[in-house]
Amino acid sequence: MLAIAVLASILGGVASTPLPSSGSPLATDLNPYPTKPRITFKEDGTFKLTVFSDLHFGENPWDSWGPEHDQSSVKLMNTILGDEKPDYAVINGDLITGENTFKENATTLIDQIVAPFINANVPFSTTQGNHDNQPNITHEEEILREQSLTELSYTRMAPPGVGGDHGPGNYWVPVYRNAYDQSPVLILWFFDSRGGWKTSTEFVPDWVDASVAGWIQSETQSMESAWGPASQRGAVAFVHIPPDIAKPLQDNLDSTKSPGDNEDVLGDGSTQNPNDSTFWDALNLNVPNLHAVISGHDHGNNWCARDTNKNVVFCFNKHSGYGGYTRGWAHGVRNLLFTSPDPTAGVKTWIREEDGTVKASITLDSNYV
Ligand SMILES: *[C@@H]1O[C@H](CO)[C@@H](O)[C@H](O)[C@H]1NC(C)=O
Ligand SMILES: *[C@@H]1O[C@H](CO)[C@@H](O)[C@H](O)[C@H]1NC(C)=O
Ligand SMILES: *[C@@H]1O[C@H](CO)[C@@H](O)[C@H](O)[C@H]1NC(C)=O
């Protein structure tokens, strides 16, 4: 009991409150997934994450090429999940090309999208993109459908009022060293950059809503009181539309430090805009050891670069889906390999194409500039 009290005071938690034998949740019970298995590092101390993005299911359902593309995307997901055997997977937005869907059955495309994760038994979660908000589909509808299909989905929605209209997909997933640990060593953050159309004439703002800033602050405060200082945890963030700071990064790109395709020039609509600064400032202020912020949206780019202003690395995904615009680029994923549960240890990342080709390998650590 003394040891527990000492530990609690070190962690800055509820030092003077005795631990109840059961019932009443303490701040130390901060686990958004009480009924699901904990996501953990492997016994060897590594954790591998595979990121799909821009699948764009459901294009031209009245034609044959759209459904054929979807079958090719399913095959790609099966192949890559089978080969890579990740500990966790992410789909980073634009799951569906909502402009082409029918009101009555749009979400059934989600069934096809989650099937490969169920077959491979890989836990996963998603962000939604601008094509996932259209008159016949919304982010919320996609998330509810996904949650109803499989326990492997860790996707959640922020409380009402957080994320703005049409932007519910803000949440975090804890990753533990061992399944019995009280405190995670890594937090996966997911943000909703909204975008798309509410009706045929009314668009949805395409940046993370300013209300997410206060939510980040209160969530990180809860984490500190439950688990101790934020410096004890690593982090990585996913958001479909790149933050506004991606634009100036492209202007100064060095192809040795930032290997990978750079074929989409970032203009209006390619990134969020300066309205994302409330969110961006709160993320960088409250989340230390942030290894990278990862986005899709621009299918022709898959480089990483460090933003020296906030001292944070931004990375593009790799366009995975056979749907969505392309100029003949190979399809693939971005992998992240956490080499140690140490929250400051370097993270390896690379692009894996469908045929197994590996490209643009780098290590994100303090030497990465
Ligand atoms: C939306 O769904 C309705 C009902 O299926 C359909 O008539 C319409 O063409 C779809 N697309 C758009 C953009 O409204
Ligand atoms: C959705 O319904 C439309 C007609 O209402 C049909 O043409 C289409 O094949 C259906 N799509 C799916 C994915 O079930
Ligand atoms: C930023 O948000 C304001 C208010 O929502 C809007 O009027 C303005 O156009 C936005 N800026 C950009 C660049 O979209």
Side-chain angles (χ1 to χ4, degrees):
M1 193 61 219
L2 179 65
I4 291 169
V6 169
L7 183 64
S9 70
I10 289 169
L11 296 178
V14 282
S16 58
T17 317
L19 293 172
S21 48
S22 66
S24 65
L26 283 175
T28 48
D29 290 332
L30 187 63
N31 177 5
Y33 304 97
T35 63
K36 288 186 196 286
R38 288 182 173 197
I39 307 297
T40 62
F41 276 62
K42 283 201 213 20
E43 238 167 69
D44 69 2
T46 66
F47 178 73
K48 187 180 190 185
L49 210 156
T50 293
V51 190
F52 296 85
S53 87
D54 297 87
L55 295 170
H56 285 275
F57 272 63
E59 295 193 333
N60 281 41
W62 49 85
D63 234 320
S64 60
W65 65 261
E68 281 165 15
H69 279 174
D70 294 350
Q71 285 321 300
S72 299
S73 298
V74 166
K75 185 162 166 267
L76 173 143
M77 289 193 279
N78 284 329
T79 302
I80 292 183
L81 289 170
D83 289 354
E84 300 291 334
K85 299 185 173 51
D87 299 300
Y88 195 85
V90 171
I91 310 177
N92 204 6
D94 283 357
L95 282 66
I96 291 177
T97 297
E99 297 90 318
N100 289 176
T101 56
F102 299 91
K103 189 86 195 156
E104 63 275 15
N105 62 10
T107 61
T108 58
L109 291 160
I110 296 291
D111 305 32
Q112 296 179 42
I113 292 170
V114 304
F117 300 92
I118 297 174
N119 292 339
N121 196 30
V122 172
F124 71 97
S125 60
T126 58
T127 67
Q128 281 63 43
N130 46 304
H131 290 277
D132 299 301
N133 267 333
Q134 295 294 331
N136 279 348
I137 187 80
T138 64
H139 289 191
E140 180 170 353
E141 286 166 344
E142 286 193 16
I143 293 170
L144 291 173
R145 181 77 180 191
E146 179 190 315
Q147 290 174 331
S148 77
L149 293 169
T150 173
E151 282 291 308
L152 291 166
S153 163
Y154 283 68
T155 305
R156 295 187 287 137
M157 289 189 266
V162 174
D165 188 20
H166 280 60
N170 300 282
Y171 62 99
W172 50 270
V173 176
V175 182
Y176 301 83
R177 173 66 188 95
N178 301 296
Y180 50 78
D181 288 346
Q182 182 69 25
S183 311
V185 289
L186 173 67
I187 305 291
L188 313 178
W189 290 90
F190 299 88
F191 299 105
D192 195 327
S193 50
R194 304 182 292 165
W197 296 81
K198 242 186 268 198
T199 64
S200 56
T201 55
E202 207 184 347
F203 66 85
V204 183
D206 55 353
W207 59 87
V208 178
D209 189 63
S211 60
V212 173
W215 174 81
I216 292 172
Q217 198 185 3
S218 65
E219 293 299 291
T220 51
Q221 274 167 6
S222 302
M223 292 176 186
E224 295 218 7
S225 49
W227 305 323
S231 59
Q232 297 173 352
R233 292 176 288 286
V236 60
F238 299 91
V239 59
H240 176 72
I241 304 178
D244 188 54
I245 56 93
K247 271 200 214 96
L249 288 180
Q250 186 176 50
D251 295 341
N252 298 300
L253 219 54
D254 170 336
S255 60
T256 356
K257 292 170 190 161
S258 300
D261 296 342
N262 182 31
E263 302 200 8
D264 273 327
V265 178
L266 302 178
D268 281 350
S270 315
T271 64
Q272 300 180 48
N273 60 50
N275 280 335
D276 73 3
S277 66
T278 313
F279 149 72
W280 188 245
D281 291 349
L283 175 65
N284 286 284
L285 181 67
N286 293 288
V287 180
N289 304 326
L290 181 58
H291 293 289
V293 177
I294 302 178
S295 297
H297 193 59
D298 301 288
H299 302 176
N301 294 350
N302 53 52
W303 44 266
C304 297
R306 187 181 288 280
D307 165 53
T308 50
N309 187 20
K310 299 285 189 194
N311 197 28
V312 65
V313 175
F314 166 76
C315 290
F316 274 106
N317 293 141
K318 170 75 181 157
H319 181 207
S320 308
Y322 278 75
Y325 77 90
T326 181
R327 296 202 291 277
W329 306 304
H331 303 276
V333 292
R334 173 174 291 288
N335 281 317
L336 293 169
L337 181 67
F338 294 80
T339 53
S340 155
D342 174 347
T344 61
V347 177
K348 293 183 179 166
T349 185
W350 67 96
I351 301 300
R352 181 235 146 101
E353 293 180 351
E354 186 171 15
D355 68 2
T357 306
V358 167
K359 287 186 171 164
S361 295
I362 51 173
T363 298
L364 307 177
D365 60 13
S366 52
N367 297 319
Y368 181 76
V369 287

